[in-house]
C-alpha cells in the first residue's frame, strides 16, 4: 500500500452528506490499515495544525446529521502563495501523505493547488450548489432541493388562499440548479436563474394571463445570483400586475438538515472510491458521479469541465405552467 497517513477535511459552505463522506473515508481507511487524521475547519484548521487522529468510533452517529463534524470555513489566507506553502509544510510536519478534501468549487481549486505542490489530494464534491461540471451531482444538492420543495408546497397553499404572487429566493450565486430542480418538482410558474436572461414584462404578462385563466397561485423561484433583488422584483410585479406580491428568502435553511438517502449514498460511494484510490497509490483525483457511476478524473482536468445549464428543464417549467 502506498499512502498510509491520510488527512480529511471539509471546506466551504457546509452541505448535508459531508458527514456521510467523512464516516466512510475514516472507516474504509481504517479497514485498509491506514492512519486517518481529521482536520478541523477546513484549510483554516490545516494552517493552524488543528489535526487529530480518528478511528472508527470517532465517526459514530454522524451519518444522519447535516453540517460537518469537522467544522468548515472559507479561508482567504490559504489562497495566498504563503498560505499554500504553509499548508504543504504543516502536512509534511505531521507526516500526512495525502488529503481528502470535501467541498465545492473553491475548495477543490485549493486541492488542485496543493496537488501542484506535490501533495496527493482526492477531491469529493460537497456543496448544495451543484455547480461542478465534472459530476452530475454534488453532495448536499438533493437535500437542499428537498428542503426548498417543502417550502414551496407550504407557500403555494398561502399563494392560492390569498391569490398572491410569491417570489421565493433560493441559493445559487452562479448556478441556478437549486431553483431549476425545485421549481420543476414544485410546479413553479416562473424560475429565474443567473445563467439565463429574464424579462420582467414577460413575467408580469404571464401572471396576468394565468390569473385570467383562473389560477389562484403564482410562484416565482429566483436564484440569489440573479441581478435584481427579490424585494425590487416583487415591488415591480405588484406595480405592473396589481397583484399582491410577497417575498420569502430561504437562505441558510437550505444548507442544514438531515441528508436525503441520495446524498448519503453519493457521499459514501465517492469517499470509498477516494480511499481505495489512495490505497492503490493513485495521484490526485476529483471524484464524481456520471450517469450513476462513480468516476475519478484528473483533478486539473476536472476543474476545467464547464457545467451546462439544463435549458430543457427551464423550457419544460414554462410549458407546464401555461
Ligand atoms: O454553499 C454554497 C452557498 O450556499 C451559495 O449558494 C451561497 O451564495 C453561499 O454559499 C453563501 O454562503 P456563506 O455565507 O457561507 O459564504
Amino acid at each position: 500500500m502506498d499512502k498510509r497517513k491520510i488527512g480529511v477535511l471539509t471546506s466551504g459552505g457546509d452541505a448535508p452528506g459531508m458527514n456521510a463522506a467523512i464516516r466512510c473515508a475514516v472507516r474504509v481507511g481504517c479497514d485498509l490499515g491506514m492512519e486517518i487524521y481529521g482536520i478541523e475547519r477546513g484549510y483554516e484548521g490545516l494552517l493552524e495544525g488543528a489535526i487529530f487522529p480518528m478511528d472508527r468510533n470517532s465517526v459514530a452517529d454522524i451519518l444522519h446529521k447535516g453540517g460537518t463534524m469537522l467544522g468548515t470555513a472559507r479561508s482567504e489566507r490559504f489562497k495566498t502563495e504563503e498560505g499554500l506553502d504553509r499548508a504543504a509544510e504543516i502536512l509534511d510536519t505531521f507526516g500526512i501523505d495525502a488529503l481528502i478534501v470535501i467541498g465545492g468549487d473553491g475548495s477543490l481549486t485549493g486541492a488542485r493547488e496543493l496537488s501542484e505542490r506535490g501533495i496527493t489530494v482526492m477531491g469529493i464534491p460537497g456543496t448544495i450548489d451543484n455547480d461542478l461540471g465534472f459530476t452530475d451531482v454534488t453532495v448536499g444538492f438533493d437535500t437542499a432541493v428537498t428542503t426548498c420543495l417543502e417550502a414551496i408546497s407550504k407557500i403555494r397553499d398561502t399563494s392560492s388562499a390569498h391569490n398572491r404572487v410569491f417570489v421565493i429566493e433560493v441559493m445559487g450565486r452562479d448556478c441556478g440548479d437549486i431553483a431549476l430542480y425545485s421549481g420543476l418538482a414544485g410546479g413553479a410558474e416562473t424560475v429565474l436563474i443567473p445563467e439565463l436572461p429574464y424579462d420582467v414584462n414577460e413575467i408580469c404578462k404571464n401572471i396576468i394571463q394565468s390569473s385570467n385563466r383562473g389560477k389562484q397561485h403564482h410562484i416565482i423561484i429566483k436564484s440569489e445570483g440573479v441581478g435584481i433583488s427579490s424585494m425590487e422584483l416583487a415591488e415591480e410585479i405588484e406595480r405592473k400586475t396589481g397583484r399582491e406580491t410577497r417575498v420569502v428568502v430561504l437562505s441558510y435553511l437550505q444548507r442544514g438538515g438531515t441528508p436525503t438517502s441520495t446524498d448519503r449514498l453519493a457521499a459514501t460511494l465517492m469517499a470509498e472510491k477516494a480511499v481505495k484510490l489512495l490505497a492503490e497509490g493513485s495521484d490526485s483525483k476529483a471524484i464524481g458521479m456520471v450517469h450513476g457511476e462513480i468516476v475519478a478524473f484528473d483533478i486539473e482536468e476536472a476543474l476545467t469541465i464547464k457545467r451546462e445549464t439544463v435549458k430543457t428543464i427551464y423550457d419544460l417549467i414554462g410549458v407546464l405552467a401555461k
Side-chain angles (χ1 to χ4, degrees):
M1 190 202 305
D2 197 30
K3 311 284 185 234
R4 289 198 47 88
K5 273 184 148 188
I6 313 293
V8 183
L9 64 82
T10 49
S11 163
D14 62 310
M18 281 181 159
N19 279 328
I22 298 167
R23 171 179 177 267
C24 179
V26 171
R27 290 197 170 162
V28 172
C30 290
D31 203 51
L32 293 173
M34 294 167 158
E35 287 176 46
I36 312 287
Y37 291 81
I39 300 170
E40 294 169 13
R41 289 168 285 105
Y43 295 122
E44 270 301 295
L46 175 55
L47 291 175
E48 289 161 13
I51 298 172
F52 64 98
M54 297 182 87
D55 61 22
R56 299 185 62 85
N57 294 334
S58 319
V59 289
D61 211 25
I62 62 167
L63 182 61
H64 59 294
K65 292 180 181 156
T68 156
M69 71 159 292
L70 293 174
T72 186
R74 298 188 194 275
S75 176
E76 286 307 316
R77 60 188 174 129
F78 170 74
K79 292 181 191 158
T80 64
E81 288 297 310
E82 303 78 65
L84 286 159
D85 290 344
R86 174 89 185 121
E89 210 172 78
I90 294 261
L91 288 169
D92 184 54
T93 307
F94 279 75
I96 291 181
D97 300 315
L99 270 187
I100 295 177
V101 172
I102 306 158
D105 196 17
S107 310
L108 299 194
T109 302
R112 186 196 60 201
E113 301 279 339
L114 285 177
S115 176
E116 281 168 7
R117 279 166 171 73
I119 294 150
T120 305
V121 191
M122 293 289 153
I124 296 179
T127 164
I128 64 164
D129 286 342
N130 209 35
D131 58 350
L132 291 162
F134 67 86
T135 182
D136 290 347
V137 289
T138 59
V139 171
F141 174 65
D142 186 66
T143 308
V145 168
T146 304
T147 301
C148 292
L149 198 53
E150 282 167 17
I152 293 167
S153 302
K154 288 178 181 166
I155 292 164
R156 183 199 270 261
D157 290 345
T158 304
S159 181
S160 296
H162 284 263
N163 203 356
R164 280 179 186 158
V165 176
F166 273 85
V167 176
I168 304 176
E169 182 180 304
V170 299
M171 278 188 168
R173 239 179 326 214
D174 308 306
C175 176
D177 276 18
I178 295 178
L180 271 183
Y181 285 82
S182 63
L184 180 65
E189 274 62 42
T190 308
V191 169
L192 305 181
I193 57 173
E195 299 94 328
L196 293 173
Y198 66 94
D199 177 349
V200 180
N201 284 336
E202 194 59 30
I203 297 169
C204 292
K205 195 178 86 188
N206 287 340
I207 291 171
I208 294 166
Q209 285 176 337
S210 71
S211 169
N212 290 343
R213 287 197 306 274
K215 217 179 209 184
Q216 300 294 305
H217 65 272
H218 199 103
I219 304 283
I220 299 168
I221 310 292
K222 175 186 163 293
S223 287
E224 63 176 336
V226 172
I228 181 171
S229 86
S230 298
M231 281 311 292
E232 274 177 79
L233 177 66
E235 278 162 19
E236 199 172 336
I237 289 172
E238 198 162 285
R239 204 173 51 246
K240 289 186 166 162
T241 65
R243 288 271 300 274
E244 268 187 321
T245 306
R246 297 284 191 268
V247 174
V248 179
V249 180
L250 295 183
S251 186
Y252 294 99
L253 274 176
Q254 295 155 88
R255 282 253 287 263
T258 188
T260 60
S261 60
T262 300
D263 279 331
R264 295 185 203 193
L265 292 172
T268 301
L269 294 173
M270 288 185 200
E272 182 202 24
K273 180 82 172 177
V275 178
K276 288 197 165 163
L277 282 170
L278 288 174
E280 288 164 12
S282 167
D283 57 2
S284 297
K285 300 278 181 224
I287 316 292
M289 189 185 275
V290 180
H291 305 312
E293 299 285 322
I294 304 296
V295 187
F297 294 88
D298 174 79
I299 199 160
E300 192 80 37
E301 183 204 324
L303 293 173
T304 63
I305 301 174
K306 288 270 164 285
R307 187 160 170 77
E308 284 181 20
T309 303
V310 194
K311 178 78 166 55
T312 47
I313 292 192
Y314 183 84
D315 293 340
L316 181 57
I317 291 168
V319 170
L320 295 174
K322 271 187 195 162

